[in-house]
Amino acid sequence: MKFRGVAALSAVALAALTACGSGASAGGGGDITVGLAISTLDNPYFVALKGGAEKAAAELGVKLTVVDAQNDATNQVNQVQTLTTQGVKAIIINPVDSKQAAPAAKAAENANIPLVAVDRSVDEGKVVSEVASDNVQGGTLAAIELGRAVSGDVVHLQGIPGASAARDRGQGFEQGLNSGGIKVVASQPADFNRAKGLDVMTNLLQANPAIKGVFADNDEMALGAIKALGDRAGKDVAVVGFDGTPDGLKAVEDGTMAATIAQQPEVLGRKAVEQAVKAARGEAVQEVVDVEVKVVTKKNVAEFKK
């Protein structure tokens, strides 16, 4: 977690004085408008995160303005810069790329608007609060679970290389490899995308036909890998995903996915809005908010299905 020059009280006090917005008054929100710059809504995980944020905003009586970067880091910077001119009193960013989010953080700082990072960190820039799952722990749990399911060669489908979640999950996965008899023979990015997961997995299978397992940095890529594996998925090849999306949970239930590391995207969205509203009001915020991750297998998947 990186927090450079965090000065929550002074920054948010300035933001409360200089920013203006329009919103409902219920719940003490007053005229607070919060901007949410999300990496992509072409992923059910982030749709759920947005839903949690919207529920929290409604309960707190504030207005939430959502912009979708469509996984384009440059577009996201432009969107945040635009938000700073629209009277928002706080901005939540779910970075496409943690490093490339630096100009967005700078734009918020220059406008005296407090910035909250959610799900992924901002590598450079002032952030008053970071709300995220413990992705390193999740990656370690994934390695342990994959090691329980199989022994032998496995491949790792990585997320967007610049995203902190991909880095952290990969780090945790490497840390957990010594817990079982698995060996990574290939790692390749598939950008958290199901279609790319299918394509990358198809190519990896040609070079590594005898693999016994797959770890994917999210459920979307895992589902793409499952499609590439066909009848082998859940039989002689175990697949472990990450996120606990509805489709991922169904795959666990069906037996084509051995496990997924479930995050709580609705909780992440909710807590990010709560911290952003506190910042907008000039109240003290929690610098780091950790949201628990959990291992989901066929034995306990019913507990996670809604």
Side-chain angles (χ1 to χ4, degrees), residues 146-272:
L146 190 57
R148 285 174 178 165
V150 297
S151 295
D153 294 344
V154 303
V155 300
H156 179 194
L157 298 184
Q158 302 164 316
I160 296 171
S164 62
R167 293 199 306 258
D168 292 347
R169 290 171 195 178
Q171 177 187 336
F173 185 64
E174 290 177 8
Q175 291 175 0
L177 287 175
N178 59 4
S179 63
I182 56 175
K183 176 186 176 182
V184 178
V185 293
S187 299
Q188 190 170 330
D191 299 342
F192 293 126
N193 182 272
R194 191 183 302 198
K196 289 184 179 179
L198 168 61
D199 292 342
V200 171
M201 191 68 223
T202 299
N203 292 332
L204 288 176
L205 281 172
Q206 292 176 356
N208 306 276
I211 63 161
K212 294 298 182 181
V214 179
F215 169 54
D217 282 354
N218 79 340
D219 285 346
E220 287 296 287
M221 293 187 297
L223 291 164
I226 287 169
K227 187 171 183 180
L229 287 162
D231 291 342
R232 296 182 65 192
K235 293 182 180 177
D236 64 354
V237 180
V239 179
V240 174
F242 204 118
D243 281 346
T245 63
D247 284 352
L249 295 176
K250 186 177 187 304
V252 171
E253 188 176 46
D254 293 343
T256 55
M257 193 184 296
T260 183
I261 308 302
Q263 297 194 84
Q264 302 182 71
E266 296 92 346
V267 177
L268 289 168
R270 170 178 294 280
K271 289 187 177 293

Side-chain angles (χ1 to χ4, degrees), residues 99-152:
K99 185 175 182 179
Q100 293 184 56
K106 190 63 177 177
E109 180 186 358
N110 289 341
N112 293 318
I113 298 173
L115 185 69
V116 173
V118 65
D119 188 66
R120 301 170 182 171
S121 65
V122 176
D123 284 356
E124 302 284 344
K126 291 185 178 180
V127 177
V128 299
S129 181
E130 182 176 303
V131 181
S133 303
D134 189 337
N135 285 300
V136 175
Q137 178 198 28
T140 299
L141 291 172
I144 292 170
E145 201 60 38
L146 190 57
R148 285 174 178 165
V150 297
S151 295

